Every structure is written in structure tokens, then in C-alpha cells.
Amino acid sequence: MISLDDARARDAADPLAGMRAHFSLPESVIYLDGNSLGALPEATIAAQQDAVERQWGADLIRSWNSNDWIGAPQRIGAKIAPLIGAKPHEVIVTDSVSVNLFKLIVAATQIRPDRSQILTEPGNFPTDLYTAEGASGVLPDHVVHTEQAGDLADALGPETALMMLTHVHYKSGERHDMEGLTEAAHETGALTLWDLSHSVGAIPVDLNGCDVDLAVGCGYKYLNGGPGAPAFLYVREDLQDELRSPLSGWMGHAAPFEFRDDYEPALGVSRFLCGTPPILSLLALETGVALFTDIDMKDVAAKSAALFDLFAARVEERCGDHGLELITPRDAEHRGSHISFAHPDGWPISQALIERGVIGDFRAPDILRFGLTPLYLRFEDIWQAVEILGEILDSGIWREPRFAEKAAVT
């Protein structure tokens, strides 16, 4: 049996234990949804006040220069780069994941003009599939083709222009072999585009080491950038001046303040900027990313794995007779940083947990999903969360009608 004292002893020995103090977390809540929306960094509160009152309120439009608002997309991208194994000039913060996917899908397929297939997998995150479908609609004769994860390498062929995959699956938490699949794509002449939304800030990523062509990622999950934080995109340096964004907005121009009628893309990854950047959101993201400055991602990955192992073991010993099916791979090398269980009554159970102060989430049709955020989650939190889960399952309180109603957002 794993005791609460065992969990507390692990917290006492945790090299990341001090990071929790950098977040504003209510003591009444066990927050297990940082894989969907990261917690609020304490420093963000003061930084946003400064951004509003001094930079905007006092410095006004001068802040584009005096506070380097104009350089924020490149500056913050360079800070994200070490977390994904990229060079500083290969990453830029801009737009949303969906918009960045569209830009990169179209740009990539345009430099593979003799190929017509965008290869992905069924059950990929919906925005990836929807955006690929939308992009294929504006690309002559292009189609989106899906294959099950285990068949992707064999499905690559001379017609494949781009393989687009999410590194860590949003439901199951299963992690693709980025290096192996990228190599397989390159052997057939295809490009690769990886969505890092459930990877960045939670597990080590090495885009350069895996020779990845293109990538996108989310700013509001493990990077703690705030609701709707801007996303980022990565373009390998040797491809940057070959690719051209289909969204040729003024911020992606080589000389935006010359106001010329003709469009000339900027050099490097800056050509993938589009409109005027959302400065307040960018600065909130910058504060979240700054928390990783002195963090070794090996420590983050090790704690993520340990939190998972404790959660899985506690569920087995405390909730073993209640029909929870672990769907996340047990091997740490094959998963991200959340743990998911299938249960036919997952929705009402998730709502009963929230009422008790354990905030995870639910993904249709039957998945209970719990984010394991190493910077602020404690081993004690995991122990207590599973204890509450066990009490709910033992009591059957989740069967009450009030837990059956579904909200628009979960």
C-alpha cells in the first residue's frame, strides 16, 4: 500500500518542489487540468499590470520600440526554442495553432508540387484534421489521407507531400516515435509537420535532433501562457526562405513600415507573421515561458513519469473494482504527461470529482483525463485525488441526476 506519508516524502525530495510557489493556486483545489489550461504564474499578475499601466497607459504607442513590442514574437520564440530542441531563429510566436497549421500545410505542399497527399491519422486532434481538410480545399487536387498510427510508415509513398501528426495524442497520451517517422517520411521525399501542443513544457522534445521540418505548438497548456495564449511555429532553418506563407499579412513583409503595395516576404521565420501581434497575450506567455529558464527538462520528464506511476498504482489499489481502464501507455518513453482512463460513466464521474475540488477533464465518449504538470503538482495531490476518486466510486454519488447534464465547455 502507498501511504500519504510516502507521497509527502517524495515531495520533500522533489528537486522541482520549489516551483509550486511561483503559481497562484487555490488551496481548496487539486488542479489536474494543466494539460488543457495551465495555472496562473504569480509573476504574470505583476507583469500584466506593468504592461497595461506603464507600457500601454504611460508609454502608449512608443512601447512598440521602447518596450520592444515589435520584437516580441521573435524574442519569445527564441525562449521557447530550447524547450523543443530548436535554434532561436527557427521559432516564432504568432496566431493560433489552427492558423499556424494552415500556413505550414499550404506552404509545405507548395514546395512538393508533384505530390497530392497530406497524411495523418484518424482521431488526431480535431483542429488538425479540420485545418488539413480546409487547406486541401484550396490546394488543387490535394487530399487528406488517414492511416492508423501503426500503419503510417508503410503508408508513406511518392504521392505523400506532407505527414502531419500530433506528437502526444490529446486523449490517450500516447507518444509517436518522432525520429523514426520523420526519417521514414524523408526517405520517401515527404515533409513532416508535428503538433507539439501536448508535449512542449512537459516532456523533452528535440526537433533538430530528429531533423523535423515543421512544427506548431500551444502556449496555454504546459507553458502557462493564459487562456487563448498565442501559439508558436517552427521552420527548420534551411527551409525558411523556400517556404512562403499563404497568409501574407503586413507583419510578415520584409519592410512592413514602408507600406508598399507589393508583397515581399521577410527573411527567415518572420515571414510567417501575419497581422499585428496581441501584445498583452504575448507578454503573459513570455512570463510563463520564463519559468523554464533554469529548469532541466530531464527533471521535468522524470517527475512527470513518477507522477504517472503513482497515479496508476493508486488507482489500481484504491479503485481497482470500479471499471477504470487505463488507456495511456505505461512506458514513459511512449507517452506524454497526462493519464487517461476509459469508463462508461466518465462524464458524471468527472463532474463529481470537480464538485469535490479535483479538476480534471473529460473527453468524449468515455475518457477521464488528468494532466500531470510537474512544475506545480505535488505527489500528495495525486494521492489525495485518487482517494477522492475512490470515495466517489464507492459511494455511487456520481449516479445522481445533477451530474448527468453536460456543459458546452469541459
Side-chain angles (χ1 to χ4, degrees):
M1 292 286 290
I2 303 168
S3 69
L4 180 56
D5 286 341
D6 293 332
R8 288 172 173 164
R10 299 197 71 169
D11 284 325
D14 176 15
L16 297 176
M19 293 303 301
R20 183 178 172 88
H22 293 281
F23 292 87
S24 177
L25 288 162
E27 287 300 322
S28 60
V29 163
I30 298 174
Y31 191 57
L32 300 173
D33 210 4
N35 58 312
S36 190
L37 174 64
L40 170 64
E42 289 281 1
T44 301
I45 300 170
Q48 286 288 285
Q49 184 175 5
D50 175 72
V52 171
E53 294 182 355
R54 180 184 65 82
Q55 297 184 40
W56 179 14
D59 293 353
L60 296 166
I61 201 168
R62 294 171 294 182
S63 280
W64 285 104
N65 295 310
S66 63
N67 291 295
D68 194 32
W69 286 358
I70 198 68
Q74 294 86 351
R75 183 179 72 244
I76 303 168
K79 294 178 179 180
I80 292 172
L83 302 179
I84 58 175
K87 300 178 183 69
H89 58 276
E90 292 178 316
V91 185
I92 197 160
V93 176
T94 180
D95 297 316
S96 65
V97 168
S98 301
V99 173
N100 289 337
L101 283 168
F102 181 85
K103 288 187 284 191
L104 293 179
I105 290 169
V106 173
T109 53
Q110 286 176 337
I111 65 168
R112 293 292 186 270
D114 298 328
R115 296 165 177 249
S116 60
Q117 184 191 86
I118 301 165
L119 177 64
T120 187
E121 64 176 317
N124 197 350
F125 189 70
T127 205
D128 297 62
L129 294 173
Y130 302 161
T131 303
E133 182 180 345
S136 69
V138 301
L139 294 165
D141 303 319
H142 279 71
V143 296
V144 177
H145 180 72
T146 61
E147 290 283 350
Q148 296 297 330
D151 299 325
L152 285 164
D154 291 337
L156 288 158
E159 72 282 4
T160 309
L162 178 69
M163 182 174 66
M164 179 197 72
L165 295 172
T166 299
H167 187 214
V168 172
H169 195 274
Y170 78 103
K171 276 189 188 179
S172 70
E174 185 170 0
R175 187 194 319 185
H176 276 299
D177 176 7
M178 177 183 286
E179 183 175 14
L181 284 169
T182 298
E183 182 179 2
H186 288 170
E187 287 176 352
T188 68
L191 296 169
T192 59
L193 169 55
W194 290 91
D195 185 340
L196 308 178
S197 293
H198 285 276
S199 308
V200 59
I203 58 173
V205 179
D206 187 7
L207 296 182
N208 287 165
C210 295
D211 199 26
V212 168
D213 303 299
L214 309 165
V216 299
C218 178
Y220 55 79
K221 300 180 189 296
Y222 297 102
L223 296 184
N224 306 297
F232 64 88
L233 63 79
Y234 154 92
V235 180
R236 200 178 64 226
E237 60 183 347
D238 62 296
L239 291 173
Q240 289 177 6
D241 291 332
E242 184 180 2
L243 297 176
R244 183 158 177 158
S245 174
L247 300 179
S248 47
W250 79 301
M251 279 291 165
H253 195 282
F257 292 98
E258 291 184 6
F259 301 104
R260 302 200 304 258
D261 287 352
D262 59 307
Y263 186 78
E264 178 187 353
L267 295 175
V269 74
S270 293
R271 63 180 51 200
F272 284 96
L273 292 175
C274 189
T276 305
I279 293 301
L280 297 181
S281 295
L282 277 169
L283 297 182
L285 174 60
E286 186 169 27
T287 308
V289 172
L291 291 172
F292 289 89
T293 301
D294 298 318
I295 296 293
D296 188 334
M297 285 305 297
K298 291 181 181 178
D299 289 337
V300 174
K303 185 175 179 183
S304 170
L307 291 169
F308 180 100
D309 290 343
L310 175 60
F311 204 124
R314 279 284 290 150
V315 166
E316 287 177 358
E317 68 179 25
R318 181 64 182 82
C319 312
D321 297 330
H322 289 290
L324 290 168
E325 177 190 356
L326 177 65
I327 66 166
T328 307
R330 290 183 179 271
D331 184 346
E333 296 298 315
H334 294 151
R335 65 172 189 256
S337 198
H338 62 268
I339 185 169
S340 297
F341 297 88
H343 191 285
D345 295 296
W347 168 258
I349 293 170
S350 72
Q351 299 309 292
L353 280 167
I354 291 171
E355 185 178 82
R356 290 285 303 275
V358 178
I359 302 179
D361 67 13
F362 171 82
R363 288 294 176 261
D366 60 357
I367 304 300
L368 287 157
R369 190 179 69 162
F370 304 98
L372 307 174
T373 44
L375 294 195
Y376 52 81
L377 199 59
R378 300 171 298 195
F379 291 94
E380 178 178 351
D381 296 326
I382 299 299
W383 196 96
Q384 297 282 18
V386 178
E387 184 64 22
I388 292 169
L389 174 60
E391 291 171 3
I392 287 169
L393 293 172
D394 289 344
S395 70
I397 191 173
W398 52 270
R399 294 188 176 92
E400 294 184 7
R402 61 197 173 99
F403 294 122
E405 184 177 351
K406 292 192 176 182
V409 178
T410 61

